[in-house]
Amino acid sequence: QQQVKQSPQSLIVQKGGISIINCAYENTAFDYFPWYQQFPGKGPALLIAIRPDVSEKKEGRFTISFNKSAKQFSLHIMDSQPGDSATYFCAASNGQAGTALIFGKGTTLSVSS
Amino acid sequence: DAGVTQSPTHLIKTRGQQVTLRCSPKSGHDTVSWYQQALGQGPQFIFQYYEEEERQRGNFPDRFSGHQFPNYSSELNVNALLLGDSALYLCASSWTGDGNQPQHFGDGTRLSIL
């Protein structure tokens, strides 16, 4: 049973556009929701994370929107750049940030110049 | 400041063999988690080690075992390798002392089973 569902599987965005990736979770005990970026041949790198007590968190061009009642959260990448082309994973965990992360299946983003 | 380091970077084994993968956590981190990432999929949690003991385990068979040493480094052992064990194995470290500390990942070991 997949506990974190991520969409779309792939996304093509023009340079300067907004990239939006969505995730939905089932376990209401989840209380930590990070987004990771992964380039080919590299491990996932943390982009931004949010906890359920806030509805939005922004860091630079990256914003997480969180809807606790709908059990959904999304990543928005503003002013998308070719260097943002990578695979993005949402994840969730129950408890402290260091406990087991449950990942979505990933979204491959391509930003065309 | 060195991040999470894993060795080897690539490994080729045959079915039935045993393998040991190694991980050194980021400086200051005391907790190590291992994940398996199949091609085109998200990482799947195998287990987590803290204070040299397995603290949490995912849905993986007993063929997967681990160890954490006093210097916080860790090993992942897989016995009786199957073709389906071919994957990227990721190590992540964190500091349990602060619940807001995120997990930092290494670049993984690519394991291929022939």
Side-chain angles (χ1 to χ4, degrees):
Chain A
Q1 181 184 10
Q2 184 185 358
Q3 296 190 55
V4 178
K5 294 184 179 180
Q6 184 171 346
S7 63
Q9 186 175 354
S10 62
L11 183 61
I12 300 174
V13 173
Q14 292 223 338
K15 180 181 176 181
I18 302 173
S19 303
I20 301 174
I21 305 171
N22 301 299
C23 281
Y25 63 98
E26 300 165 4
N27 188 345
T28 55
F30 287 151
D31 62 359
Y32 174 71
F33 302 90
W35 284 89
Y36 282 84
Q37 178 191 57
Q38 186 175 30
F39 292 104
K42 296 293 186 180
L46 179 68
L47 269 179
I48 186 172
I50 197 168
R51 291 195 178 272
D53 52 347
V54 296
S55 60
E56 186 174 283
K57 183 175 181 180
K58 183 176 180 179
E59 290 185 2
R61 296 185 295 111
F62 301 94
T63 299
I64 297 180
S65 296
F66 186 83
N67 186 328
K68 187 174 181 178
S69 61
K71 293 187 287 185
Q72 295 175 348
F73 58 111
S74 61
L75 175 70
H76 296 233
I77 306 174
M78 312 301 288
D79 187 27
S80 298
Q81 299 296 312
D84 296 331
S85 298
T87 301
Y88 292 81
F89 294 96
C90 62
S93 72
N94 172 14
Q96 295 182 344
T99 56
L101 291 169
I102 308 300
F103 283 84
K105 291 189 173 183
T107 296
T108 301
L109 171 65
S110 296
V111 181
S112 60
S113 55
Chain B
D1 181 19
V4 179
T5 58
Q6 293 186 242
S7 63
T9 55
H10 296 85
L11 203 51
I12 300 174
K13 292 286 188 179
T14 57
R15 282 179 297 174
Q17 285 189 312
Q18 177 264 343
V19 69
T20 297
L21 311 182
R22 295 175 175 82
C23 171
S24 292
K26 181 179 171 64
S27 177
H29 286 185
D30 59 3
T31 302
V32 173
S33 302
W34 287 91
Y35 293 80
Q36 180 194 67
Q37 185 177 21
L39 199 61
Q41 300 294 317
Q44 280 196 292
F45 176 75
I46 302 175
F47 43 54
Q48 183 180 83
Y49 276 83
Y50 172 67
E51 291 188 334
E52 302 181 46
E53 291 190 357
E54 183 182 290
R55 180 162 71 172
Q56 196 175 3
R57 189 178 183 95
N59 188 26
F60 278 80
D62 292 344
R63 298 187 298 109
F64 290 77
S65 63
H67 188 78
Q68 185 179 34
F69 299 93
N71 67 353
Y72 307 117
S73 66
S74 176
E75 289 182 349
L76 164 65
N77 301 293
V78 187
N79 295 321
L81 287 166
L82 303 173
L83 292 178
D85 295 332
S86 294
L88 179 68
Y89 288 85
L90 295 163
C91 171
S93 71
S94 56
W95 179 42
T96 296
D98 183 341
N100 290 315
Q101 288 299 312
Q103 294 185 32
H104 294 255
F105 283 82
D107 288 336
T109 294
R110 173 70 64 186
L111 176 63
S112 299
I113 310 301
L114 302 180

